[in-house]
Amino acid sequence: MRRLVLLTFLVLAQLFLFAQDVCHTADYRQRFFLSHPEAVPKMAELESFTQNIIAQKKFTASRIKPVTNKPDVISIPVVVHVLYGTDQENISDAQVQSQIDVLNQDYQRRNADTTKTPDVFKSVAADCGFQFVLAKVDPGGYATTGIIHKKTNVQSFGIQDGIKFSSSGGDDAWDRDRYLNIWVGNLSGSVLGYSSVVSGPAANDGVVILYTAFGTKGTATAPYNKGRTTTHEVGHWLNLIHTWGDADCGDDHVSDTPPQSSADRGCPGGVVISCNNAPTGNMYQNFMDFTNDECMNLFTIGQRERMLALFQPGGARYALLSSTAIMATPLSKPIPTVAEGGTSSISVYPNPSVDHITVKLSEDISMGSQMDIYNQVGQKVVSMIVQQSQFQVNIADLGKGIYFIKVNGGKCRVMTKLMKL
C-alpha cells in the first residue's frame, strides 16, 4: 500500500510541475486527473504493473530475441479521423499513408536518419517492434480504408476532446481494444498534438494531431514535416513520458535515458549538459523530447520495454493483440434485416449483450428452420434448430465483437447483427 501511495504522489507531482506549449499531453493529463481524481490510483497501479514487468523481464506477448535484440512484431490497426472545415484541412489519403510509413520506420528503427544517432547512444537505440497498419475492417465488419474524412463546422479544436465526439463536431472513436484512433484537424493555440491517458475512458482513447504536423507531404509544414509529432504522441499513447520527466531533472521511469533539466527545442548541436548528466548530456535526439522533426531519431531499449509492458497479460493494451481489424475478411455489403421480398423478421435483445440474448422470430417463420451465428470472418460459431418463435441463446463463450445471426427455412431467410460485449 505504501508503494502505491508513493507512486500516486509521484504521478501527481509530475503532472503539476510542467506545462507544455507544443505537445500538450502533460497539460491534458493534468486536466484529466483534476476532473477525475478517482483515476489517479489506477494510473499508479499501471505504473507499478509496468515496473514489475520490466524488472522481471516478463515479455511473454512479444519475445525479444537475444541474438538480434529484435522483438516480435506487434501489429496495431489504425483508424485516422480527418476533421476538416476547409479543403486544405481535408488532407489526402496519401498524406495519411506517409504518416503510417513514418510510424513504421521510427518504431522499427528503419528511419534513414539513424545515422545521426550519436555514438554514445547507439548501444541503447532500439527497434521497438511495432507495425502500424490502416484498418481493413470497420467496427461493423465492413470494408474500410482506415481513413474517415468528415466535414465539421468547428473552426478549431482544443484539448478538451471535442474532436473525438460527433456531438461536438468531431468523430466518435472506434473500439480502443481493436484500433488506435488518430484524429487529425485544426487545433487551436500552439498545440501540435496530444495523447489520451492510458488508463482513461475508452471513448477518449487515442492521439490528436494538428493537420500541418501530420505526415511528410501535403499540408505538413517545417519544422514539423517529417511525421515525428505523431511518433511522439503515439509514444505517449504507449505509456512513455517526456525525457525530462515533465519536471526539472524529473524521472521518465526509463533507466537508459539521461536525466535532463527541461525540454530541448529547435535543433541543438554538440553535447548539452544538465542535471549532472556528463559526459553524455541530454538525449535530445530522442523522439520523446521537443526538438524539431529533423533532429529526432531514436527510442531506447528502456523505452521499448516500457511500451511492451502494455501488451503483456493484464496490460492496458493487451486486448489489441486479439484485434482482427487488419486480417478479417470484410463483409461486402450490409446484411438485410428482413427476408428478401417478404415481411419476415428477426429481433434480438438485449443488443449489445454480454452472456444471453433473446431471439424473437415473426410468426411466418416455420419451426424446424435452422439458425446459425457467424463471426466476422465467416466462421459458424453457433448452430441450432428453431423450435419456438421466441427463445434464449447463451453467448457467454463467444469473444467480444460483431456477429451475424441467420435463420434459413425454405423460402424464408432473415439476418441481423449482434454485438457481443
Side-chain angles (χ1 to χ4, degrees), residues 62-73 304:
S62 178
R63 301 185 309 276
I64 298 177
K65 305 175 184 67
V67 176
T68 62
N69 195 33
K70 291 180 178 292
D72 289 339
V73 173
R304 175 179 69 189

Side-chain angles (χ1 to χ4, degrees), residues 298-375:
L298 83 149
F299 287 115
T300 70
I301 293 173
Q303 288 174 319
R304 175 179 69 189
E305 291 181 343
R306 186 171 177 83
M307 291 187 278
L308 289 179
L310 291 176
F311 293 84
Q312 309 315 304
R317 304 290 183 203
Y318 181 65
L320 272 168
L321 297 176
S322 301
S323 175
T324 60
I326 56 179
M327 64 186 71
T329 302
L331 301 168
S332 57
K333 61 180 180 179
I335 297 295
T337 58
V338 298
E340 297 175 359
T343 59
S344 302
S345 65
I346 176 174
S347 59
V348 176
Y349 58 90
N351 190 5
S353 181
V354 175
D355 49 14
H356 287 81
I357 57 172
T358 296
V359 178
K360 185 176 181 180
L361 307 175
S362 58
E363 294 182 358
D364 60 333
I365 297 179
S366 60
M367 299 302 99
S369 299
Q370 180 159 327
M371 189 192 82
D372 301 312
I373 301 180
Y374 297 86
N375 61 20

Side-chain angles (χ1 to χ4, degrees), residues 1 17 44 79 94 120 132 139 187 194 202 208 259 262 370 382:
M1 176 59 74
L17 281 173
V79 55
V120 70
F132 300 85
L187 306 183
Y194 68 93
V208 178
S262 61
Q370 180 159 327
V382 174

